[in-house]
Amino acid sequence: MFYHIKNTLFVIILFTWLPLYGQPSVAQASDAKQEPNLLSSIVTLQGYYVRNLGVFSETWSRAVGGYVAYGIYFPEHLMLLLQAGYTRFELREDEIPNRDVDLIALPVLAGVRYYFMTQSIRPYSNIATGFTINTQKGPSPEGITSITSADFAFQIGWGLSVDLVGNLELDLAVKYNSHWRKPYNMTGFEYGAGFAWKIGE
Amino acid sequence: MGIDTRVAGTFCVLALLALCSMNPVSVYSAGDETPDQKVAEVLVPPAQSNTRTQPNTIDTDYAPYESEMRFATAVGEVVLLEFIPWATARWISKAEWAKVSTNDWWDHIERGWTYDGDNFVTNQFAHPYHGNLFFNAARTNGYDFWESAPFVMSGSLVWEFFGENTFPSINDWASTTLSGINIGESLYRISNVITDNTATGTERVLREIAGTLINPVRGFNRLLSGETAKVFPNPADRLPGSSFIDLTFGARTFDEDGFKIVDERERQAIVSVSYNYGNPFDGDIKKPFAHFQTGVSIASADQTLTSFYSRGILHGWDVSKSKNSHHVLGIFHAFDYWANPAFDMGATALSSSLLSSFRLSEDWSISSSISVGGTIMAATPTEFFIDPEGRDYDFGPGISTNLHAGLNYNDWQIVRLALTAGWIWSFSGSVDAKHNIQVPVLQLKVPLSDVFAIGLRVAAFRRTSSYPNFEDTNQESSISELFLAVKLH
């Protein structure tokens, strides 16, 4: 019960990040707002571990993977992000006797990241949608068969960017995934760590 | 689920609060010494209640409420816009969907997105309208178009996951967010045109009432800030370079299933109003919704609200311009809601359009547009699906194209030809269905004066649907409409 409440509260906080997009207390005259200019971009590489949820987790308990992303900064807090990933799901060991089944997901997402601060340590939140190409391979009466589908993907989460040396950044993130898949959605909490390289100024 | 209650409850409460503030005099009793007494006197001066204030009564030093981003107020209003309809449903109408617990919340998180089974009006009109309220909670608290969008997104997310005991529906989130932003910006700008900060007396009262009815959240914030009763300069971009209202009264006839003889056709009275804001060939088309068209139609039928649309430019570029021609390329967002016995259609879509204008003489011109776009979420009828909750249409994304040509005499479009064709792939409803939709329209107008015209509009709707497990189906309907048009600038 406590586990559910704790996680539910976590997701509520996760979902309410977006209004923080604005500059809260520091008033800024609208006529003084700047037009968004392209400042710089980043390339991010991140590895992640996913703890799956719900009915989906009864078969596929967890997953590991990674993604590469290209992001474009807009002053001063916003970044548009395109990312492509690779996720390999793992069968639940205690309940599934057949180990010859693979499930691979290739999520391709476009989203927005908002940085709450612009200093050397920058907490952020992000939301992204797109699609994921899911391929499940396993034994069947006809031999080894694979089924591929392209499904809607959704992700929302928090993260932290930390300047290391030069243009190198450390990138940490916790996200909630709800990727569409029949018969059950691929839902889960994703914990990621990686590096980002800033391009240009 | 329950969105009608949400919209109705929220709208009523906000409208009531704002309307109560319309007449500034009414809130002050005689002899009260209030800081705003002077302003109240200016608004309704004893001897000249219907005249404009003198220039020296306009508070030129006043910093408008929307010149600052007010985060706490915006978030508070989003919460209020969630709470009012939920509380109304939970404790007054005792709706089943509002009995939500923390266990439901966790179930929703574990299960993730699904599609719901709500009826067409709820999903395709009420949700987008509610999104417009979220949008304006931010837009009227100092945030610009893009900055306001996340408030809609998060407001809808919170509602879908935690506001109901049904599973979160992706179609609701998409409609509420994308169409809500579209409708929200349209209504924000229309409300801005209607209200006049320099007006006084009866005119001011009527303008504030009308502005609040169009945009209740903005009216509410004008009440909170005291701007309902304050005389101060209008924002520089309050009025578009050009705009006009097209008001039509008429009768239409159509059949529900196939082209039948006239005697069997259903007849309805219909009133439509459309608003053309800004000119894509003469304005700052780099700002979102610097140009948009929106319209609504009411018919004498069970489905009273028979159409509602809004199409606005997100960003545009001048392609070429010469003495007699002008071409503009634009990225547009469109919200469409069409509901009548002949066909239902709802969609939120992005498109790129090439708009062209060719000048033939001083008074005559030809306009055209070619659009190609992606439909992010569409709803279209199907023959082979009925959800337990009553939904009898498919959801899915698609692509569409639109061709349009018009012959214009000054502001009157004398002849209009349009063809819309779209393809929708069902993601929910009929399994793996594909729908092809075609809507050709021909409209003729004969101006009687600068203000009045009579017209004839003929449209056809054709849907060809293919299903892997059933035979293909066709639905064909036509609509003919005779109308009197009134053009207001």
Side-chain angles (χ1 to χ4, degrees):
Chain A
M1 184 64 182
F2 174 74
Y3 169 78
H4 286 183
I5 292 174
K6 183 187 70 174
N7 284 285
T8 303
L9 287 173
F10 168 75
V11 175
I12 289 175
I13 294 167
L14 205 66
F15 281 15
T16 50
W17 71 269
L18 284 161
L20 297 173
Y21 171 89
Q23 291 288 12
S25 56
V26 183
Q28 182 182 2
S30 61
D31 56 1
K33 285 177 186 172
Q34 296 177 339
E35 289 290 319
N37 295 313
L38 197 69
L39 276 191
S40 60
S41 53
I42 64 165
V43 174
T44 301
L45 280 170
Q46 195 175 94
Y48 51 75
Y49 165 83
V50 184
R51 189 175 65 79
N52 296 321
L53 298 170
V55 181
F56 180 66
S57 71
E58 292 171 8
T59 306
W60 305 94
S61 59
R62 57 183 180 267
V64 291
Y67 73 79
V68 57
Y70 177 72
I72 303 170
Y73 279 111
F74 286 84
E76 288 179 348
H77 297 264
L78 197 62
M79 187 167 75
L80 301 180
L81 206 68
L82 285 172
Q83 70 182 59
Y86 173 93
T87 310
R88 184 187 180 92
F89 291 88
E90 294 181 13
L91 283 169
R92 196 176 193 96
E93 289 179 15
D94 53 344
E95 293 186 11
I96 308 295
N98 190 342
R99 306 291 298 162
D100 299 326
V101 181
D102 282 333
L103 176 59
I104 305 291
L106 302 174
V108 178
L109 302 167
V112 180
R113 183 182 286 187
Y114 179 76
Y115 290 93
F116 298 100
M117 295 158 61
T118 55
Q119 283 77 15
S120 56
I121 297 177
R122 297 179 298 283
Y124 67 82
S125 52
N126 87 299
I127 185 167
T129 65
F131 62 90
T132 172
I133 299 169
N134 304 313
T135 303
Q136 183 170 332
K137 193 186 293 182
S140 71
E142 293 82 31
I144 300 293
T145 57
S146 78
I147 302 168
T148 299
S149 62
D151 299 297
F152 170 79
F154 170 85
Q155 186 178 73
I156 188 167
W158 296 87
L160 188 70
S161 290
V162 181
D163 287 344
L164 295 177
V165 287
N167 288 353
L168 190 64
E169 300 174 2
L170 175 67
D171 193 27
L172 306 169
V174 181
K175 296 167 186 170
Y176 167 73
N177 294 332
S178 177
H179 301 332
W180 201 274
R181 182 170 178 266
K182 291 174 182 173
Y184 306 111
N185 285 350
M186 299 191 295
T187 52
F189 289 117
E190 177 183 308
Y191 307 92
F195 296 96
W197 183 261
K198 191 184 293 183
I199 303 166
E201 285 299 330
Chain B
M1 180 68 74
I3 190 73
D4 294 325
T5 313
R6 295 167 56 189
V7 172
T10 307
F11 182 86
C12 289
V13 170
L14 290 178
L16 195 64
L17 287 171
L19 285 170
C20 287
S21 73
M22 289 303 108
N23 187 341
V25 174
S26 66
V27 299
Y28 304 116
S29 58
D32 280 351
E33 293 295 332
T34 70
D36 290 337
Q37 190 176 39
K38 270 189 158 180
V39 174
E41 288 170 358
V42 166
L43 286 175
V44 189
Q48 45 178 356
S49 62
N50 202 25
T51 60
R52 296 288 175 94
T53 55
Q54 297 302 309
N56 61 2
T57 63
I58 296 177
D59 186 352
T60 53
D61 295 331
Y62 175 70
Y65 180 77
E66 292 181 19
S67 63
E68 292 182 11
M69 289 194 281
R70 299 170 194 276
F71 170 75
T73 312
V75 171
E77 288 177 4
V78 170
V79 171
L80 196 66
L81 290 164
E82 308 259 23
F83 181 75
I84 291 172
W86 178 82
T88 306
R90 179 70 181 84
W91 291 306
I92 297 176
S93 62
K94 301 193 185 303
E96 205 55 40
W97 60 262
K99 294 172 183 169
V100 62
S101 67
T102 53
N103 283 336
D104 293 324
W105 291 357
W106 181 246
D107 287 346
H108 298 171
I109 292 164
E110 284 195 326
R111 166 79 178 262
W113 293 113
T114 183
Y115 288 88
D116 71 15
D118 288 345
N119 65 53
F120 188 80
V121 178
T122 297
N123 276 337
Q124 300 308 121
F125 167 70
H127 272 295
Y129 185 82
H130 197 243
N132 136 67
L133 299 177
F134 288 145
F135 179 86
N136 275 293
R139 191 72 172 94
T140 62
N141 274 294
Y143 292 85
D144 68 17
F145 177 85
W146 295 111
E147 291 165 344
S148 300
F151 286 80
V152 195
M153 199 184 290
S154 60
S156 180
L157 267 179
V158 169
W159 181 272
E160 290 300 324
F161 276 81
F162 310 115
E164 304 172 312
N165 63 14
T166 52
F167 288 111
S169 47
I170 188 70
N171 55 289
D172 285 350
W173 185 57
S175 293
T176 307
T177 301
L178 299 172
S179 299
I181 290 168
N182 184 318
I183 299 170
E185 182 66 12
S186 298
L187 297 185
Y188 172 80
R189 286 177 178 263
I190 293 171
S191 172
N192 211 6
V193 168
I194 291 172
T195 54
D196 180 354
N197 300 331
T198 65
T200 60
T202 305
E203 180 189 345
R204 178 63 179 263
V205 171
L206 294 175
R207 281 179 176 274
E208 293 291 336
I209 289 173
T212 301
L213 289 173
I214 291 291
N215 189 338
V217 178
R218 183 167 180 268
F220 181 70
N221 282 324
R222 285 175 74 83
L223 166 67
L224 281 183
S225 64
E227 289 188 350
T228 302
K230 188 162 187 64
V231 178
F232 62 103
N234 285 310
D237 59 352
R238 171 178 164 248
L239 299 176
S242 68
S243 69
F244 60 85
I245 297 170
D246 211 357
L247 190 61
T248 66
F249 308 87
R252 68 180 181 182
T253 172
F254 54 83
D255 58 59
E256 297 182 28
D257 186 19
F259 295 99
K260 295 177 182 173
I261 59 174
V262 174
D263 287 349
E264 294 180 358
R265 292 161 70 93
E266 186 171 331
R267 295 177 179 82
Q268 294 178 350
I270 183 167
V271 178
S272 305
V273 59
S274 64
Y275 182 54
N276 197 316
Y277 179 101
N279 183 348
F281 298 107
D282 184 22
D284 185 3
I285 51 175
K286 302 206 180 298
K287 287 185 177 175
F289 280 68
H291 162 66
F292 66 87
Q293 295 171 309
T294 185
V296 60
S297 296
I298 307 292
S300 60
D302 292 339
Q303 291 168 298
T304 308
L305 178 67
T306 190
S307 77
F308 183 24
Y309 66 88
S310 174
R311 294 167 197 148
I313 195 166
L314 295 176
H315 199 90
W317 299 267
D318 261 325
V319 176
S320 74
K321 186 177 183 180
S322 66
K323 184 183 174 187
N324 292 321
S325 68
H326 194 166
H327 306 278
V328 166
L329 184 66
I331 304 294
F332 284 75
H333 182 264
F335 157 72
D336 281 290
Y337 168 88
W338 303 92
N340 61 58
F343 69 91
D344 295 330
M345 177 74 199
T348 182
L350 281 170
S351 66
S352 61
S353 300
L354 178 65
L355 313 179
S356 299
S357 175
F358 303 93
R359 191 185 176 104
L360 302 177
S361 70
E362 188 68 25
D363 297 319
W364 291 88
S365 66
I366 289 176
S367 58
S368 70
S369 69
I370 302 171
S371 304
V372 179
T375 305
I376 299 160
M377 185 68 73
T380 186
T382 177
E383 285 82 4
F384 301 110
F385 172 76
I386 295 182
D387 184 272
E389 291 183 63
R391 174 163 73 89
D392 57 357
Y393 54 92
D394 287 349
F395 279 121
I399 55 173
S400 68
T401 182
N402 177 275
L403 306 172
H404 158 264
L407 175 65
N408 310 305
Y409 177 75
N410 294 323
D411 283 341
W412 287 111
Q413 191 159 64
I414 306 299
V415 181
R416 176 171 174 260
L417 270 168
L419 172 65
T420 301
W423 291 262
I424 297 167
W425 290 269
S426 172
F427 275 24
S428 171
S430 314
V431 178
D432 295 332
K434 299 178 185 68
H435 304 283
N436 171 227
I437 290 164
Q438 297 161 35
V439 186
V441 179
L442 169 65
Q443 180 177 286
L444 304 170
K445 272 184 191 168
V446 180
L448 303 175
S449 70
D450 287 344
V451 177
F452 295 103
I454 55 171
L456 168 69
R457 181 163 41 232
V458 181
F461 173 85
R462 181 189 178 98
R463 173 174 59 84
T464 305
S465 300
S466 60
Y467 307 91
N469 303 319
F470 304 98
E471 285 197 6
D472 293 359
T473 60
N474 287 304
Q475 183 194 356
E476 295 173 334
S477 307
S478 66
I479 299 178
S480 306
E481 186 178 337
L482 272 170
F483 58 86
L484 170 70
V486 183
K487 188 175 294 298
L488 305 170
H489 287 271

